[in-house]
Amino acid sequence: ARSPAPGFWLGRGRDMTRSAVLVLSVLASASAYRVPPPRMGLFDGMKSAFSSSAGEKPIPSADRVTPFDRWLGLDKSLEQENEPDKNAIYIDPSDVNNYVSASLAKPMGIAFVENEGGGGVYIDEVLADGSAAVSQMLRKGDQLVAVDSTLVLGVDFDTALDAIKSSSGETTKLTIYRGPTTFLYGPTAASAEWYAETLLK
């Protein structure tokens, strides 16, 4: 049998060498390649931040359900939180008999707190060393509605306190509503005109 021409083997050897170099290059590139970490979505980090380690979601004190709340699964909790107490006895805010007025000298000895979520203040405590305790007309939970003839229904804490401070008479008349805020500020709320014409004359 004839031996292959030297040139043939030489050419084939060069091809094999080139192939080997190509394979090694591919392997080297593959070993150097690293799979990038998975990219987080735009809201993934925010979602994890709003989720507790125990799997319980915090309930914000929002007054409405937003698409973002629904995305976090908070909509049902918010709706239940904002539902009125079905067991609460209706106390008509348009009935003057559901209000109490007390004319007090300063210091009154009353600790007011702003309603949760903002808007309006209520009596958190009647201190023992003030005129309110002596009168025995006010109690914890009463909602402040007016200071003298000024309607403070729904105002923030500072505005309500300023109204009391600015009163220059020997006594200051506080008008309060004794009932659930659901009725005082909800759909059954009395109008500012009703207060002006009926309660604050």
Side-chain angles (χ1 to χ4, degrees), residues 7-130:
F8 173 81
W9 289 106
L10 180 60
R12 185 178 181 184
R14 289 176 179 172
D15 292 340
M16 293 179 64
T17 302
R18 291 172 183 166
S19 299
V21 172
L22 180 60
V23 171
L24 290 175
S25 299
V26 172
L27 290 176
S29 300
S31 62
Y33 179 76
R34 295 290 184 271
V35 178
R39 295 182 178 179
M40 297 182 69
L42 178 61
F43 296 105
D44 288 347
M46 298 177 66
K47 185 174 182 179
S48 62
F50 280 90
S51 300
S52 62
S53 57
E56 297 178 355
K57 301 180 179 65
I59 302 176
S61 56
D63 58 353
R64 66 180 183 278
V65 178
T66 66
F68 187 68
D69 295 326
R70 293 190 182 92
W71 183 78
L72 291 176
L74 302 177
D75 51 328
K76 293 182 179 179
S77 298
L78 284 171
E79 289 171 357
Q80 292 175 357
E81 181 181 276
N82 292 330
E83 284 183 356
D85 185 1
K86 296 180 180 179
N87 297 322
I89 299 174
Y90 178 65
I91 299 177
D92 189 0
S94 297
D95 185 348
V96 294
N97 294 318
N98 294 324
Y99 294 84
V100 175
S101 295
S103 295
L104 306 173
K106 300 175 184 178
M108 299 177 179
I110 302 174
F112 290 98
V113 175
E114 189 168 322
N115 289 319
E116 185 177 355
V121 298
Y122 67 93
I123 297 176
D124 183 60
E125 184 180 3
V126 177
L127 305 177
D129 56 351

Side-chain angles (χ1 to χ4, degrees), residues 82-84 90-94 99 115 119 143 153-154 177 179-192 195:
N82 292 330
E83 284 183 356
Y90 178 65
I91 299 177
D92 189 0
S94 297
Y99 294 84
N115 289 319
Q143 292 282 330
L153 182 69
Y177 168 80
T181 56
T182 302
F183 308 131
L184 182 63
Y185 293 105
T188 60
S191 65
Y195 285 109

